[in-house]
Every structure is written in C-alpha cells, then in structure tokens.
Amino acid sequence: EPEVTQTPSHQVTQMGQEVILRCVPISNHLYFYWYRQILGQKVEFLVSFYNNEISEKSEIFDDQFSVERPDGSNFTLKIRSTKLEDSAMYFCASNTGTGGYEQYFGPGTRLTVT
Amino acid sequence: DQQVKQNSPSLSVQEGRISILNCDYTNSMFDYFLWYKKYPAEGPTFLISISSIKDKNEDGRFTVFLNKSAKHLSLHIVPSQPGDSAVYFCAALGETSGSRLTFGEGTQLTVNP
C-alpha cells in the first residue's frame, strides 16, 4: 500500500541553524501538508500546498518557514533559523485532491533544537 | 485553540468490550470529521470519517456517530482488541478552515487482554 515517507526520522540541530525536513507524498496525490506536534500539545496545521504554491498557511508559518516541491516527488519544509520552540514532531501529509478529505500522514521527523 | 476537544485523556477497556471515544467541537462551520489512530513513533493513521449530512458511518469494527445539534461525535470500537491500544484523535474541517485539519488533544485507549 502506498505511503508517505519522511526523512530524517530524527534531526538534532543548534539554535539558529537552518534545517530541511523531507517528505515523499503518495505519488498520485495533489495536496500536500505540514503539521507539527509539540510534546504534550495538539497536532497543529502549518501549511498546505497545491499546484506548486502555498494554498493556505497558519499563523505559526511565519517568514522563518518555507516549503518547496523541488523535483515532482519530494516536498520539503525549511526552517531558516531554528529556535528552541521549534522542537517538535513534524508530520507531512498528502491528499488525493479528487473528492476525499482524508489526509494520509507520514511517520514524522522529530526535530530537536538545542 | 479549543475548536475540537477530547475531554478524556485516557480510556481503559477489557478485550472484547466496546470502546467509546468522544469528541466535541464548537465551530458550526465544520462539516467533515475524521478519526485517526496513532501508535508511538508513527504518524496518525486514518481510520474513518463522516460528513455532516450523515449521522452514522460504519466500517467493520469501527462506527462513528455524529450529533450535529450537540456538536458531538463519538467513535465506537466493538469488539475492542489489544492491538487497538493507541492514541485516537478526532479532527475536523469545513468551509472556513479550507483543507486544514483541526485536531483534538487525543485519547489514549488501552485495551486489556
């Protein structure tokens, strides 16, 4: 069964460094998402992406964040200058875009900012 | 953000019995609801969904009930199995929320053999 994959599974970085989290959505899906879950908190929406552009973003998704689909299979989340409060699980998700609303999630990347 | 709330952080049931997980929402513009299951170190896995035009949707051992007037939904698992032990999230979306999912806090279900 097709699935969303994410790399790396765990990333440790120092405050102020740039990180890129990578995702490969399900191949025939058209909508892509990033969510995050800070330890002990809810899963929160960050951004949605369709047709090579951001379709929606939350108030969390400020200028430090960017997304890109560089090659037709990967979908990346870049955090330009990480802060301690960016430490969280980051989940990528995708959706067919053809009727169903279900989003299919990857296993997540645990980002630890020290 | 309290738009979707799961008031029970945990639930423990015996194998073979029914598990009932509850979820409340406040945003009347939500019109589609989903349940996800999450094991440790994995991402949320889609389980079952329901549109606001229905009040019940069933898939095998899983049934979701929606009470729009009460802004309440529940997930019934019967019979419960030890492998069902996981965190269960309800999520909602609607016209004003675009395609973003708004999640509840999650309920840890433990099914005891």
Side-chain angles (χ1 to χ4, degrees):
Chain A
E1 188 172 323
E3 56 184 24
V4 177
T5 60
Q6 289 186 243
T7 54
S9 56
H10 190 189
Q11 172 96 45
V12 181
T13 189
Q14 287 193 322
M15 196 167 53
Q17 296 296 303
E18 175 183 286
V19 294
I20 297 176
L21 310 183
R22 291 184 167 78
C23 167
V24 179
I26 295 172
S27 64
N28 62 341
H29 284 192
L30 301 178
Y31 282 83
F32 314 115
Y33 307 85
W34 285 100
Y35 291 82
R36 77 174 185 191
Q37 186 179 27
I38 295 170
L39 188 64
Q41 298 187 23
K42 291 184 178 186
V43 176
E44 304 173 285
F45 168 81
L46 291 177
V47 66
S48 59
F49 192 86
Y50 171 73
N51 201 25
N52 280 320
E53 59 182 29
I54 290 173
S55 51
E56 192 181 355
K57 59 184 181 179
S58 73
E59 53 284 353
I60 302 167
F61 194 88
D62 62 22
D63 292 343
Q64 292 298 312
F65 293 89
S66 62
V67 289
E68 195 177 32
R69 187 154 162 83
D71 58 14
S73 63
N74 288 283
F75 179 50
T76 62
L77 174 69
K78 183 193 289 187
I79 309 175
R80 262 180 270 284
S81 177
T82 50
K83 307 184 192 87
L84 294 175
E85 54 265 36
D86 294 327
S87 295
M89 282 293 290
Y90 287 81
F91 296 107
C92 172
S94 68
N95 169 266
T96 62
T98 56
Y101 293 104
E102 298 79 22
Q103 295 176 20
Y104 295 87
F105 284 76
T109 292
R110 177 169 298 286
L111 176 65
T112 302
V113 183
T114 61
Chain B
D1 177 5
Q2 297 293 307
Q3 294 190 76
V4 178
K5 193 126 182 72
Q6 294 174 256
N7 287 310
S8 299
S10 63
L11 174 68
S12 183
V13 300
Q14 284 300 119
E15 181 177 4
R17 306 295 292 268
I18 186 171
S19 296
I20 300 176
L21 298 123
N22 294 302
C23 178
D24 296 294
Y25 62 96
T26 56
N27 188 341
S28 57
M29 299 304 289
F30 286 146
D31 57 10
Y32 201 82
F33 304 90
L34 307 92
W35 284 95
Y36 284 84
K37 175 171 77 172
K38 186 180 178 306
Y39 294 118
E42 293 185 14
T45 301
F46 169 71
L47 268 179
I48 191 169
S49 60
I50 189 166
S51 162
S52 60
I53 62 172
K54 294 186 171 184
D55 55 17
K56 177 182 172 181
N57 188 26
E58 193 170 353
D59 183 2
R61 296 186 298 114
F62 301 92
T63 303
V64 55
F65 295 92
L66 175 63
N67 182 334
K68 273 175 43 180
S69 60
K71 295 193 179 70
H72 177 83
L73 62 154
S74 60
L75 174 68
H76 292 210
I77 306 172
V78 58
S80 301
Q81 299 172 354
D84 295 329
S85 297
V87 177
Y88 288 77
F89 294 98
C90 69
L93 58 83
E95 275 183 33
T96 57
S97 63
S99 61
R100 69 167 74 183
L101 293 177
T102 301
F103 281 86
E105 298 87 342
T107 296
Q108 171 71 58
L109 173 67
T110 303
V111 180
N112 301 303

